[in-house]
Structure formats: structure tokens, C-alpha cells
Amino acid sequence: MSPDPSDAPVDMAPRAAHMADTADPPSTPKNTRAVAARRKPLAHDPTAPGTTADSGFDPHVPDIDYGVLDSLVGYAIRRAQIRIYEDFVASLAQWQITPPRFSALVIVSRNPQLKLTDLARILGIARSGAVLLVDALEEMNLVARRPAPGDRRAYSLVLTPTGKRTLAAAKQAVIAHDAHVASALTAPEQATLKALLGRLAPPRAQ
Amino acid sequence: MSPDPSDAPVDMAPRAAHMADTADPPSTPKNTRAVAARRKPLAHDPTAPGTTADSGFDPHVPDIDYGVLDSLVGYAIRRAQIRIYEDFVASLAQWQITPPRFSALVIVSRNPQLKLTDLARILGIARSGAVLLVDALEEMNLVARRPAPGDRRAYSLVLTPTGKRTLAAAKQAVIAHDAHVASALTAPEQATLKALLGRLAPPRAQ
């Protein structure tokens, strides 16, 4: 999170009904910094979780046979992710900040001299995806590229003043969202959940 | 999972290095049932998890300050999902079956008379996303549309014989993948993990 103590109001944008759980689609124009870009609704991603009709996602529809899916740890994780996604998006809709955008803002705010390739590696996305993500954040006037010290071909990512203010406010919204998500679990249960998730195995060598 | 006992070999496809964790992109041609379609590599999605350079995703890069992200239950889930995604994709690469494709095949196989809107609701995706997903599965000759009894405008989804054989084989690969993912956890720990995930709160009313 940002150490920036500012809590000044941030620029508002019309609420997007649903936002993509990925970086922006390839149609995002690059380096268009018009203020208008901040106000346009996000492109609709029909495959993003939580975009069902108008009600919340029911992770276990009655009378449906889920077969092997019910036995899989991986599907339990997927189901949980879909379930909490909608609340995250609603919590940050006023800033048009999706989960990957939020993660990127936090990482940039906490790590000086961060390069785009670092960000991709940290978030677990392809470099091309990180380019789209940073382009969008730059259009929203939240992130800027600065020449990297000692490397003429690279640049470092920094938050703009608007980015710092927006992150400070969005961070509070995310903390409230996360508290809601885990509100049925005790603190030790939350710790257990995170510890168990952290022990899932990495990919096998192919 | 499919009750189909067949374990006959299924059609092979060149291994896609990385697959999208969503249904197919909108560029997927509709209703093209050419066999060649089964063999083309999947479109690359730069924002899909697990598509980093050439090594596995490190969910916690040393010397990086994750700030508030480290305290969020939601980010722990996201991190776990990215971590296991790559192994899932590698496990099913020979069939070009992504996680949503696998889920769709299982749900269709277990639930007769399933309509497209049902599938969207069950998987927690938009109807337009389900259309793309079913189109892709139809192109791969795994799923077919059949007239729905009692509703001239609708149709039911069924697995084709190839779909049944493919699902039977893919199901075994997914079970092995999931066992690998959870291999560091005891059976009671796995049960605890699933139970805790199931207690995360649904979205708040907006």
C-alpha cells in the first residue's frame, strides 16, 4: 500500500457495471492521456467472473450435479474467486479500479525504480499484459513512466499525485471489502486459510 | 464428471504453450466445424495468469514489498490461483482444454437438458461468454447443440462421442493435477481449506 497519507477526494468516474478481471483488452489506445479517457466505462468482458445477468453468482446452484468439480481444490479456489470478485468490483467501481489495476498501483507505490518487466513478474502476467495494464493506468493519470537511472532504454514506474490520492482511498475500500469477504471467519481461521493456500504446490517441471 | 467409461484415445492437438483462463476471445469464428479448427493453437492471452516468460510464477518475489496485498484474503486466493493455473494448463495442453472448458464439459456431461443460459449461470459467466465457450467446444467437436424438448427457440447441450472420450481422459489428468496441487496438505487440511473457502461471504447488496 501507499505510505502517502493524503485522503483528498479523487476524480470520479461513472460506475461501470462490471469490470474485467484482467488487464485491459488490446483495443485500449496507447498513450492517450486525454482526461476523457478517465471517464469512459471499461470495456465489457463477457468472460470475466461475476458478470452474470443482474444477481450475485451462486457458486453452487441447487439441483446441479457438479461431478468431479466438487472434489477439486482448484475448483474450490475458482469458485471462491468468482464469489468475491463482484464485491471487489463494486467496492472500487467509482475509481474504475479492477483487481489487477489495484495490485499494480500497490506494487508501484511500494517499490521505487520498478520497471515494467518487474511488474509483470511480480503479478504473474505476461510483459504484453503489463504494457496494457500500465497504459491504462497512465491514461487514467494514476501512473507515469520516468527515465530509469543507469539504463537509457528503460524507465521506472511511479505514481502521480492523483495516483497516490486514488490509491489511498481505494486501499481503504479494498480493506473494507476484504473484511466483508472474510467476516464469517475468525482471525485464526483467516490465518489458517492463508497458510493452507500458501502451501499449494507450484507447477511441476514439464 | 462424466459417467462415460470410455478411455479410448482422443484427438491430439499441438501443445499450446499457454492458454487463456477465460473462454475464447471474441475473434473465435462461430460454427466452423472444420477438423482443422481442433488443431489450431489457442489465441494467446497476455493477461492470463501463468504466462510469464518461461519459468513458473513466483507468488512472492524476494525483496518486493507487497504492502497491503499481503494482508488480504482475496490476494492470497488470487496468488494461489495463479500458482496452480500453469500446472492445470500443462496437464491438459494436449487436448487444448482450459479450466473453463473443462468445467463446461463436466457440467454438460452431468446435467441432461442443460441450456446455454443454465451453463452461464452455473459457471458464473455472462451469457455472451458462454456462447463463445460453447462455440469453441462445438468447433472442437466436443459438444453439440440439440433441439430442446418443449421449447422451439432453445436447445440443449450434449457431449459428442469425442467429447465423452476426451472428458474421460482429461478428467484423469485434472484429478492428477489437483492431487499434485494439494500434495503438501493432508486430507483433513484439504477439507479444512475447502470448508474455509466455502464460508467466504457473497457480494453485498449494492
mmCIF file of all heavy atoms in Angstrom, chain B residues 151-185:
data_model
loop_
_atom_site.group_PDB
_atom_site.id
_atom_site.type_symbol
_atom_site.label_atom_id
_atom_site.label_comp_id
_atom_site.label_asym_id
_atom_site.label_seq_id
_atom_site.Cartn_x
_atom_site.Cartn_y
_atom_site.Cartn_z
ATOM 1 N N ASP B 151 -39.408 -26.510 -26.262
ATOM 2 C CA ASP B 151 -39.071 -25.104 -26.466
ATOM 3 C C ASP B 151 -38.379 -24.961 -27.808
ATOM 4 O O ASP B 151 -37.198 -25.235 -27.961
ATOM 5 C CB ASP B 151 -38.162 -24.596 -25.336
ATOM 6 C CG ASP B 151 -37.897 -23.092 -25.459
ATOM 7 O OD1 ASP B 151 -38.225 -22.490 -26.511
ATOM 8 O OD2 ASP B 151 -37.366 -22.525 -24.496
ATOM 9 N N ARG B 152 -39.148 -24.498 -28.799
ATOM 10 C CA ARG B 152 -38.622 -24.463 -30.166
ATOM 11 C C ARG B 152 -37.463 -23.494 -30.335
ATOM 12 O O ARG B 152 -36.679 -23.597 -31.250
ATOM 13 C CB ARG B 152 -39.735 -24.036 -31.140
ATOM 14 C CG ARG B 152 -40.778 -25.101 -31.347
ATOM 15 C CD ARG B 152 -41.763 -24.641 -32.414
ATOM 16 N NE ARG B 152 -43.003 -25.403 -32.331
ATOM 17 C CZ ARG B 152 -44.088 -25.123 -33.039
ATOM 18 N NH1 ARG B 152 -44.082 -24.106 -33.885
ATOM 19 N NH2 ARG B 152 -45.171 -25.856 -32.916
ATOM 20 N N ARG B 153 -37.413 -22.495 -29.445
ATOM 21 C CA ARG B 153 -36.361 -21.482 -29.638
ATOM 22 C C ARG B 153 -35.062 -21.844 -28.915
ATOM 23 O O ARG B 153 -34.054 -21.179 -29.079
ATOM 24 C CB ARG B 153 -36.852 -20.127 -29.133
ATOM 25 C CG ARG B 153 -37.999 -19.563 -29.942
ATOM 26 C CD ARG B 153 -38.567 -18.341 -29.246
ATOM 27 N NE ARG B 153 -38.937 -18.654 -27.862
ATOM 28 C CZ ARG B 153 -39.358 -17.755 -26.982
ATOM 29 N NH1 ARG B 153 -39.451 -16.499 -27.327
ATOM 30 N NH2 ARG B 153 -39.676 -18.113 -25.761
ATOM 31 N N ALA B 154 -35.114 -22.847 -28.063
ATOM 32 C CA ALA B 154 -33.935 -23.164 -27.275
ATOM 33 C C ALA B 154 -33.325 -24.495 -27.720
ATOM 34 O O ALA B 154 -33.882 -25.216 -28.545
ATOM 35 C CB ALA B 154 -34.298 -23.236 -25.794
ATOM 36 N N TYR B 155 -32.157 -24.779 -27.200
ATOM 37 C CA TYR B 155 -31.537 -26.070 -27.471
ATOM 38 C C TYR B 155 -30.837 -26.548 -26.215
ATOM 39 O O TYR B 155 -30.539 -25.770 -25.298
ATOM 40 C CB TYR B 155 -30.568 -25.976 -28.640
ATOM 41 C CG TYR B 155 -29.596 -24.846 -28.528
ATOM 42 C CD1 TYR B 155 -28.432 -24.977 -27.774
ATOM 43 C CD2 TYR B 155 -29.837 -23.629 -29.162
ATOM 44 C CE1 TYR B 155 -27.550 -23.936 -27.643
ATOM 45 C CE2 TYR B 155 -28.952 -22.574 -29.029
ATOM 46 C CZ TYR B 155 -27.812 -22.733 -28.272
ATOM 47 O OH TYR B 155 -26.936 -21.706 -28.141
ATOM 48 N N SER B 156 -30.608 -27.842 -26.183
ATOM 49 C CA SER B 156 -29.881 -28.449 -25.072
ATOM 50 C C SER B 156 -28.471 -28.760 -25.516
ATOM 51 O O SER B 156 -28.208 -28.979 -26.699
ATOM 52 C CB SER B 156 -30.570 -29.742 -24.632
ATOM 53 O OG SER B 156 -31.906 -29.496 -24.274
ATOM 54 N N LEU B 157 -27.578 -28.788 -24.551
ATOM 55 C CA LEU B 157 -26.177 -29.109 -24.843
ATOM 56 C C LEU B 157 -25.900 -30.564 -24.496
ATOM 57 O O LEU B 157 -26.326 -31.048 -23.444
ATOM 58 C CB LEU B 157 -25.265 -28.195 -24.021
ATOM 59 C CG LEU B 157 -25.480 -26.696 -24.261
ATOM 60 C CD1 LEU B 157 -24.675 -25.880 -23.260
ATOM 61 C CD2 LEU B 157 -25.097 -26.325 -25.684
ATOM 62 N N VAL B 158 -25.207 -31.233 -25.387
ATOM 63 C CA VAL B 158 -24.807 -32.625 -25.133
ATOM 64 C C VAL B 158 -23.344 -32.813 -25.522
ATOM 65 O O VAL B 158 -22.817 -32.072 -26.356
ATOM 66 C CB VAL B 158 -25.667 -33.631 -25.939
ATOM 67 C CG1 VAL B 158 -27.127 -33.581 -25.490
ATOM 68 C CG2 VAL B 158 -25.542 -33.371 -27.428
ATOM 69 N N LEU B 159 -22.703 -33.792 -24.916
ATOM 70 C CA LEU B 159 -21.354 -34.152 -25.359
ATOM 71 C C LEU B 159 -21.462 -35.049 -26.585
ATOM 72 O O LEU B 159 -22.336 -35.905 -26.675
ATOM 73 C CB LEU B 159 -20.605 -34.909 -24.254
ATOM 74 C CG LEU B 159 -20.240 -34.148 -22.987
ATOM 75 C CD1 LEU B 159 -19.219 -34.955 -22.182
ATOM 76 C CD2 LEU B 159 -19.679 -32.762 -23.291
ATOM 77 N N THR B 160 -20.541 -34.858 -27.494
ATOM 78 C CA THR B 160 -20.431 -35.781 -28.626
ATOM 79 C C THR B 160 -19.680 -37.024 -28.157
ATOM 80 O O THR B 160 -19.094 -37.025 -27.058
ATOM 81 C CB THR B 160 -19.620 -35.123 -29.760
ATOM 82 O OG1 THR B 160 -18.287 -34.915 -29.267
ATOM 83 C CG2 THR B 160 -20.235 -33.791 -30.187
ATOM 84 N N PRO B 161 -19.666 -38.084 -28.948
ATOM 85 C CA PRO B 161 -18.826 -39.239 -28.563
ATOM 86 C C PRO B 161 -17.363 -38.837 -28.335
ATOM 87 O O PRO B 161 -16.733 -39.283 -27.373
ATOM 88 C CB PRO B 161 -18.983 -40.178 -29.763
ATOM 89 C CG PRO B 161 -20.359 -39.856 -30.291
ATOM 90 C CD PRO B 161 -20.510 -38.368 -30.120
ATOM 91 N N THR B 162 -16.841 -37.968 -29.204
ATOM 92 C CA THR B 162 -15.465 -37.483 -28.982
ATOM 93 C C THR B 162 -15.375 -36.706 -27.673
ATOM 94 O O THR B 162 -14.398 -36.829 -26.925
ATOM 95 C CB THR B 162 -15.025 -36.564 -30.146
ATOM 96 O OG1 THR B 162 -15.072 -37.311 -31.364
ATOM 97 C CG2 THR B 162 -13.614 -36.043 -29.933
ATOM 98 N N GLY B 163 -16.397 -35.934 -27.400
ATOM 99 C CA GLY B 163 -16.422 -35.163 -26.158
ATOM 100 C C GLY B 163 -16.398 -36.070 -24.940
ATOM 101 O O GLY B 163 -15.704 -35.793 -23.954
ATOM 102 N N LYS B 164 -17.131 -37.155 -25.006
ATOM 103 C CA LYS B 164 -17.149 -38.101 -23.875
ATOM 104 C C LYS B 164 -15.783 -38.747 -23.672
ATOM 105 O O LYS B 164 -15.306 -38.870 -22.542
ATOM 106 C CB LYS B 164 -18.209 -39.181 -24.115
ATOM 107 C CG LYS B 164 -19.632 -38.652 -24.003
ATOM 108 C CD LYS B 164 -20.645 -39.773 -24.245
ATOM 109 C CE LYS B 164 -22.071 -39.212 -24.192
ATOM 110 N NZ LYS B 164 -23.080 -40.259 -24.468
ATOM 111 N N ARG B 165 -15.173 -39.154 -24.773
ATOM 112 C CA ARG B 165 -13.848 -39.780 -24.658
ATOM 113 C C ARG B 165 -12.820 -38.777 -24.148
ATOM 114 O O ARG B 165 -11.987 -39.095 -23.286
ATOM 115 C CB ARG B 165 -13.401 -40.324 -26.023
ATOM 116 C CG ARG B 165 -14.143 -41.560 -26.481
ATOM 117 C CD ARG B 165 -13.409 -42.233 -27.642
ATOM 118 N NE ARG B 165 -13.261 -41.349 -28.801
ATOM 119 C CZ ARG B 165 -14.178 -41.238 -29.772
ATOM 120 N NH1 ARG B 165 -15.300 -41.935 -29.716
ATOM 121 N NH2 ARG B 165 -13.979 -40.435 -30.789
ATOM 122 N N THR B 166 -12.881 -37.560 -24.693
ATOM 123 C CA THR B 166 -11.918 -36.532 -24.282
ATOM 124 C C THR B 166 -12.089 -36.184 -22.809
ATOM 125 O O THR B 166 -11.105 -36.066 -22.064
ATOM 126 C CB THR B 166 -12.101 -35.266 -25.145
ATOM 127 O OG1 THR B 166 -11.964 -35.615 -26.513
ATOM 128 C CG2 THR B 166 -11.073 -34.200 -24.773
ATOM 129 N N LEU B 167 -13.329 -36.043 -22.386
ATOM 130 C CA LEU B 167 -13.567 -35.692 -20.988
ATOM 131 C C LEU B 167 -13.070 -36.796 -20.058
ATOM 132 O O LEU B 167 -12.480 -36.518 -19.006
ATOM 133 C CB LEU B 167 -15.052 -35.413 -20.744
ATOM 134 C CG LEU B 167 -15.419 -35.106 -19.291
ATOM 135 C CD1 LEU B 167 -14.625 -33.917 -18.751
ATOM 136 C CD2 LEU B 167 -16.921 -34.845 -19.153
ATOM 137 N N ALA B 168 -13.296 -38.040 -20.448
ATOM 138 C CA ALA B 168 -12.851 -39.142 -19.584
ATOM 139 C C ALA B 168 -11.344 -39.085 -19.372
ATOM 140 O O ALA B 168 -10.841 -39.289 -18.254
ATOM 141 C CB ALA B 168 -13.269 -40.479 -20.191
ATOM 142 N N ALA B 169 -10.615 -38.800 -20.440
ATOM 143 C CA ALA B 169 -9.156 -38.730 -20.326
ATOM 144 C C ALA B 169 -8.715 -37.458 -19.594
ATOM 145 O O ALA B 169 -7.849 -37.498 -18.716
ATOM 146 C CB ALA B 169 -8.535 -38.783 -21.719
ATOM 147 N N ALA B 170 -9.341 -36.353 -19.948
ATOM 148 C CA ALA B 170 -8.968 -35.083 -19.329
ATOM 149 C C ALA B 170 -9.276 -35.094 -17.836
ATOM 150 O O ALA B 170 -8.542 -34.515 -17.031
ATOM 151 C CB ALA B 170 -9.709 -33.929 -20.018
ATOM 152 N N LYS B 171 -10.343 -35.757 -17.488
ATOM 153 C CA LYS B 171 -10.740 -35.832 -16.085
ATOM 154 C C LYS B 171 -9.647 -36.505 -15.253
ATOM 155 O O LYS B 171 -9.317 -36.047 -14.147
ATOM 156 C CB LYS B 171 -12.040 -36.623 -15.979
ATOM 157 C CG LYS B 171 -12.701 -36.621 -14.643
ATOM 158 C CD LYS B 171 -13.921 -37.544 -14.677
ATOM 159 C CE LYS B 171 -13.499 -38.982 -14.961
ATOM 160 N NZ LYS B 171 -14.637 -39.896 -15.107
ATOM 161 N N GLN B 172 -9.080 -37.554 -15.779
ATOM 162 C CA GLN B 172 -7.993 -38.220 -15.061
ATOM 163 C C GLN B 172 -6.791 -37.295 -14.916
ATOM 164 O O GLN B 172 -6.127 -37.270 -13.873
ATOM 165 C CB GLN B 172 -7.589 -39.510 -15.788
ATOM 166 C CG GLN B 172 -8.702 -40.551 -15.847
ATOM 167 C CD GLN B 172 -9.329 -40.840 -14.494
ATOM 168 O OE1 GLN B 172 -8.629 -41.004 -13.498
ATOM 169 N NE2 GLN B 172 -10.655 -40.864 -14.442
ATOM 170 N N ALA B 173 -6.514 -36.534 -15.966
ATOM 171 C CA ALA B 173 -5.390 -35.601 -15.906
ATOM 172 C C ALA B 173 -5.650 -34.497 -14.880
ATOM 173 O O ALA B 173 -4.736 -34.071 -14.159
ATOM 174 C CB ALA B 173 -5.151 -34.984 -17.293
ATOM 175 N N VAL B 174 -6.888 -34.043 -14.786
ATOM 176 C CA VAL B 174 -7.225 -32.986 -13.826
ATOM 177 C C VAL B 174 -7.144 -33.517 -12.393
ATOM 178 O O VAL B 174 -6.667 -32.829 -11.485
ATOM 179 C CB VAL B 174 -8.624 -32.405 -14.110
ATOM 180 C CG1 VAL B 174 -9.098 -31.533 -12.950
ATOM 181 C CG2 VAL B 174 -8.601 -31.586 -15.391
ATOM 182 N N ILE B 175 -7.605 -34.742 -12.202
ATOM 183 C CA ILE B 175 -7.531 -35.335 -10.862
ATOM 184 C C ILE B 175 -6.069 -35.459 -10.425
ATOM 185 O O ILE B 175 -5.719 -35.156 -9.274
ATOM 186 C CB ILE B 175 -8.263 -36.692 -10.835
ATOM 187 C CG1 ILE B 175 -9.785 -36.458 -10.964
ATOM 188 C CG2 ILE B 175 -7.930 -37.474 -9.574
ATOM 189 C CD1 ILE B 175 -10.589 -37.726 -11.174
ATOM 190 N N ALA B 176 -5.220 -35.852 -11.351
ATOM 191 C CA ALA B 176 -3.790 -35.962 -11.032
ATOM 192 C C ALA B 176 -3.192 -34.579 -10.757
ATOM 193 O O ALA B 176 -2.383 -34.408 -9.833
ATOM 194 C CB ALA B 176 -3.050 -36.643 -12.184
ATOM 195 N N HIS B 177 -3.599 -33.615 -11.562
ATOM 196 C CA HIS B 177 -3.142 -32.234 -11.356
ATOM 197 C C HIS B 177 -3.559 -31.729 -9.977
ATOM 198 O O HIS B 177 -2.755 -31.159 -9.224
ATOM 199 C CB HIS B 177 -3.735 -31.336 -12.440
ATOM 200 C CG HIS B 177 -3.967 -29.917 -12.016
ATOM 201 N ND1 HIS B 177 -2.954 -29.002 -11.883
ATOM 202 C CD2 HIS B 177 -5.107 -29.267 -11.656
ATOM 203 C CE1 HIS B 177 -3.461 -27.844 -11.471
ATOM 204 N NE2 HIS B 177 -4.755 -27.981 -11.324
ATOM 205 N N ASP B 178 -4.811 -31.952 -9.628
ATOM 206 C CA ASP B 178 -5.309 -31.442 -8.353
ATOM 207 C C ASP B 178 -4.615 -32.133 -7.175
ATOM 208 O O ASP B 178 -4.321 -31.504 -6.153
ATOM 209 C CB ASP B 178 -6.828 -31.631 -8.262
ATOM 210 C CG ASP B 178 -7.478 -30.621 -7.336
ATOM 211 O OD1 ASP B 178 -7.515 -29.429 -7.685
ATOM 212 O OD2 ASP B 178 -7.940 -31.021 -6.244
ATOM 213 N N ALA B 179 -4.343 -33.415 -7.346
ATOM 214 C CA ALA B 179 -3.632 -34.139 -6.285
ATOM 215 C C ALA B 179 -2.229 -33.562 -6.102
ATOM 216 O O ALA B 179 -1.731 -33.441 -4.978
ATOM 217 C CB ALA B 179 -3.564 -35.626 -6.641
ATOM 218 N N HIS B 180 -1.601 -33.203 -7.226
ATOM 219 C CA HIS B 180 -0.283 -32.566 -7.133
ATOM 220 C C HIS B 180 -0.383 -31.231 -6.400
ATOM 221 O O HIS B 180 0.410 -30.929 -5.496
ATOM 222 C CB HIS B 180 0.304 -32.359 -8.526
ATOM 223 C CG HIS B 180 1.433 -31.365 -8.537
ATOM 224 N ND1 HIS B 180 2.671 -31.654 -7.991
ATOM 225 C CD2 HIS B 180 1.499 -30.087 -8.983
ATOM 226 C CE1 HIS B 180 3.447 -30.585 -8.107
ATOM 227 N NE2 HIS B 180 2.761 -29.640 -8.709
ATOM 228 N N VAL B 181 -1.354 -30.421 -6.804
ATOM 229 C CA VAL B 181 -1.518 -29.095 -6.207
ATOM 230 C C VAL B 181 -1.643 -29.186 -4.687
ATOM 231 O O VAL B 181 -1.051 -28.406 -3.950
ATOM 232 C CB VAL B 181 -2.768 -28.405 -6.810
ATOM 233 C CG1 VAL B 181 -3.250 -27.258 -5.931
ATOM 234 C CG2 VAL B 181 -2.470 -27.915 -8.219
ATOM 235 N N ALA B 182 -2.413 -30.160 -4.230
ATOM 236 C CA ALA B 182 -2.705 -30.270 -2.800
ATOM 237 C C ALA B 182 -1.816 -31.289 -2.096
ATOM 238 O O ALA B 182 -2.086 -31.647 -0.945
ATOM 239 C CB ALA B 182 -4.175 -30.641 -2.617
ATOM 240 N N SER B 183 -0.763 -31.701 -2.756
ATOM 241 C CA SER B 183 0.030 -32.823 -2.225
ATOM 242 C C SER B 183 0.726 -32.509 -0.902
ATOM 243 O O SER B 183 1.061 -33.425 -0.151
ATOM 244 C CB SER B 183 1.064 -33.275 -3.268
ATOM 245 O OG SER B 183 1.895 -32.193 -3.635
ATOM 246 N N ALA B 184 0.931 -31.232 -0.627
ATOM 247 C CA ALA B 184 1.599 -30.887 0.638
ATOM 248 C C ALA B 184 0.610 -30.822 1.805
ATOM 249 O O ALA B 184 1.017 -30.651 2.951
ATOM 250 C CB ALA B 184 2.320 -29.548 0.502
ATOM 251 N N LEU B 185 -0.669 -30.962 1.499
ATOM 252 C CA LEU B 185 -1.694 -30.899 2.539
ATOM 253 C C LEU B 185 -2.231 -32.296 2.846
ATOM 254 O O LEU B 185 -2.420 -33.103 1.937
ATOM 255 C CB LEU B 185 -2.866 -30.008 2.094
ATOM 256 C CG LEU B 185 -2.544 -28.597 1.608
ATOM 257 C CD1 LEU B 185 -3.842 -27.849 1.317
ATOM 258 C CD2 LEU B 185 -1.712 -27.835 2.616
#
